[in-house]
């Protein structure tokens, strides 16, 4: 529920990321001149740390930093202000004194995708669109479907048929028209783009992408506020399309623009990808500016199985800008990291979060993170959405008779 208060509205426009041409805010995502992606540009009002005091505990507390012009168009299911956990147990194991886990597995649909989906569906409502949809590796399907249900809009999901059943079930439960594509995510993405443009559907991560990515900025806003407006030294971010990492950088930069932070340029960005679908890591390690797509992704981290990352080359630019690096981890390392996080901090993540934790371990082993660095590791999805993979390495419990002496003998 929103507190009644007078808000100074933020003026926004769209600006090409490549040629910098500006456009009025509209249902538009590609530059007419150079076909580059369009980003939301802000003319921010005066903002202080007190601006956000006594507001609702969702990411809509940062209304002035988001691209919705009229808050009556906000579609909220209670996303955001997720815990930033001081991970003392895991930190001790890894030799880190200031390790934090940003736990987005507790969002309403149990992943970080509630952030961008909420902004995109809200903007679709503001544009007066009659339907929304998405191309998805799983988490975005349920996030978009949930927000569409709240908004009273039809939702069309395009996703590869191989994603986890729990994610399919969740999206169907919200009433989505679920199109299961016999192919990769990139196949589903191509089909969604063509249908969205031809039928005027707001495909949140395609033709609504300029506004969609703004939701992921709220990761930056919350972490900064939860750290008492301090800038982290190291950020470990799981990467699929690359949009989240780019948005997190944009978010911190905007906080510096409105004078809520300083020293943002001292951050180090670490891009984490799974082996079998790590085109950005491959490009980084080859010191190449070209991200070569992976035709057939093969990884247990299905939510990161995006072979042709739309923001791939922009991630490489961000890594150069923030003196960062990129690293990958294999299936075994991912599953081991899931258990490590669960058994030290009580957080059960899906494989994408395991990628973050595994790469965190590698960075420590490689001496790229100092013992006293303020480290934020992003955990983006809940383990209950992808139990098939982790069950493969867990011992299934034996069924025992309800006999106290027999059971007592195995309890040490």
């Amino acid at each position: 529920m929103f507190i009644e208060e007078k808000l100074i509205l933020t003026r926004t426009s769209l600006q090409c990321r490549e040629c910098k041409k500006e456009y009025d805010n509209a249902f538009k995502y590609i530059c007419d001149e150079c076909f580059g992606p369009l980003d939301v540009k802000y003319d921010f009002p005066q903002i202080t740390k007190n601006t956000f005091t006594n507001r609702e505990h969702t990411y809509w507390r940062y209304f002035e930093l988001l691209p919705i012009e009229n808050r009556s168009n906000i579609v909220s299911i209670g996303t955001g202000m997720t815990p930033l956990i001081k991970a003392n147990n895991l930190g001790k194991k890894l030799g880190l004194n200031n390790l934090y886990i940003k736990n987005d597995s507790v969002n309403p649909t149990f992943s970080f995708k509630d952030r961008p989906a909420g902004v995109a569906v809200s903007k679709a409502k503001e544009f007066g669109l009659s339907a929304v949809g998405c191309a998805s590796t799983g988490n975005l399907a349920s996030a978009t479907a949930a927000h569409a249900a709240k908004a009273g809009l039809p939702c069309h999901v395009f996703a590869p048929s191989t994603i986890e059943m729990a994610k399919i079930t969740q999206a169907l439960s919200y009433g989505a028209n679920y199109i299961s594509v016999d192919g990769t995510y990139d196949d589903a993405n191509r089909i969604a783009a063509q249908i969205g443009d031809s039928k005027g559907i707001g495909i949140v991560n395609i033709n609504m992408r300029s506004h969609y990515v703004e939701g992921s900025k709220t990761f930056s806003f919350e972490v900064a506020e939860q750290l008492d407006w301090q800038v982290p030294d190291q950020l470990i971010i799981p990467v699929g399309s690359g949009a989240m990492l780019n948005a997190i950088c944009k978010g911190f930069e905007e906080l510096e623009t409105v004078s809520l932070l300083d020293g943002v340029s001292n951050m180090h960005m670490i891009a984490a990808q799974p082996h079998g679908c790590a085109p950005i890591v491959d490009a980084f390690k080859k010191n190449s500016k070209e991200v070569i797509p992976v035709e057939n992704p093969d990884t247990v981290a299905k939510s990161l199985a995006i072979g042709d990352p739309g923001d791939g080359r922009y991630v490489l630019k961000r890594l150069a800008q923030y003196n960062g690096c990129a690293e990958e981890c294999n299936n075994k390392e991912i599953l081991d990291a899931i258990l490590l996080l669960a058994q030290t901090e009580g957080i059960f993540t899906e494989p994408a979060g395991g990628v973050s934790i595994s790469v965190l371990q590698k960075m420590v082993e490689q001496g790229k993170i100092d013992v006293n660095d303020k480290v934020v590791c992003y955990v983006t999805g809940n383990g209950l959405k992808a139990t098939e993979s982790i069950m493969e390495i867990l011992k299934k419990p034996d069924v025992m008779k309800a006999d106290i002496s027999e059971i007592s003998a195995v309890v040490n």
Side-chain angles (χ1 to χ4, degrees), residues 87-126:
N88 292 322
N89 295 333
L90 180 58
K92 187 175 181 180
K93 272 188 174 290
L94 300 180
L96 298 175
N97 292 333
N98 296 296
L99 173 62
Y100 295 86
I101 304 295
K102 182 58 171 169
N103 183 14
D104 246 38
S105 70
V106 298
N107 270 320
T109 73
F110 310 112
S111 88
F112 90 96
K113 289 294 188 180
D114 284 332
R115 296 176 184 275
V119 171
V121 172
S122 298
K123 198 65 186 180
K125 181 182 175 183
E126 193 155 81

Side-chain angles (χ1 to χ4, degrees), residues 148-294:
K150 179 74 171 179
L153 292 172
C155 179
H156 305 278
V157 169
F158 304 83
S161 59
T162 54
I163 68 173
E164 297 92 342
M165 184 53 66
K167 295 175 182 177
I168 297 174
T169 303
Q170 191 178 14
L172 287 170
S173 298
Y174 295 124
N177 174 27
Y178 194 100
I179 296 96
S180 186
V181 178
D182 183 13
T184 66
Y185 167 80
D186 296 302
D187 294 323
N189 189 76
R190 173 176 47 81
I191 292 167
Q194 293 173 1
I195 291 176
D197 286 346
S198 65
K199 294 182 180 291
I201 298 169
I203 305 296
V204 298
N205 54 334
I206 302 177
N207 57 20
M208 295 291 301
R209 193 173 183 84
S210 300
H211 297 93
Y212 165 86
V213 296
E214 295 296 285
S216 295
K217 292 188 321 186
T218 60
F219 260 138
S220 314
F221 304 158
E222 289 179 21
V223 164
E225 186 174 5
Q226 288 168 324
L227 290 176
D228 195 24
W229 304 104
Q230 297 178 60
V231 178
D233 298 304
Q234 310 276 356
L235 297 97
I236 296 88
I237 301 169
V239 172
S241 71
M244 184 175 82
L245 186 146
N246 193 56
I248 287 172
C249 293
K250 186 174 187 277
F252 277 110
E253 289 164 0
E254 288 176 354
L255 290 178
E256 190 166 56
T257 296
V258 296
S259 302
L260 295 183
L261 290 179
D262 54 38
V264 165
S265 62
N266 296 322
M267 294 187 306
H268 294 75
M269 289 286 163
I270 299 169
Q273 289 197 293
H275 180 74
C277 192
I280 295 171
V281 176
D282 291 341
F284 177 83
K285 291 190 173 182
K286 292 175 182 175
N287 199 27
S288 171
K289 294 181 180 178
E290 182 182 5
V291 178
I292 299 174
V294 175

Side-chain angles (χ1 to χ4, degrees), residues 397-411:
D398 297 324
V399 178
M400 303 184 69
K401 293 179 181 178
D403 181 272
I404 185 65
S405 58
E406 187 175 334
I407 292 176
S408 181
V410 300
V411 178

Side-chain angles (χ1 to χ4, degrees), residues 45 65 71 99 117 142 150 178 260 296 304 328 343 351 356 412:
L65 303 173
R71 71 176 178 182
L99 173 62
S142 51
K150 179 74 171 179
Y178 194 100
L260 295 183
N296 296 296
L304 299 180
E328 65 179 9
Q343 294 171 11
S356 301
N412 297 318

Side-chain angles (χ1 to χ4, degrees), residues 234-238 270 272 356-357 359-360 363 369 375-378:
Q234 310 276 356
L235 297 97
I236 296 88
I237 301 169
I270 299 169
S356 301
I357 300 299
V359 167
L360 167 66
M363 293 295 98
I369 296 179
V375 182
V376 175
C377 191
Y378 288 87

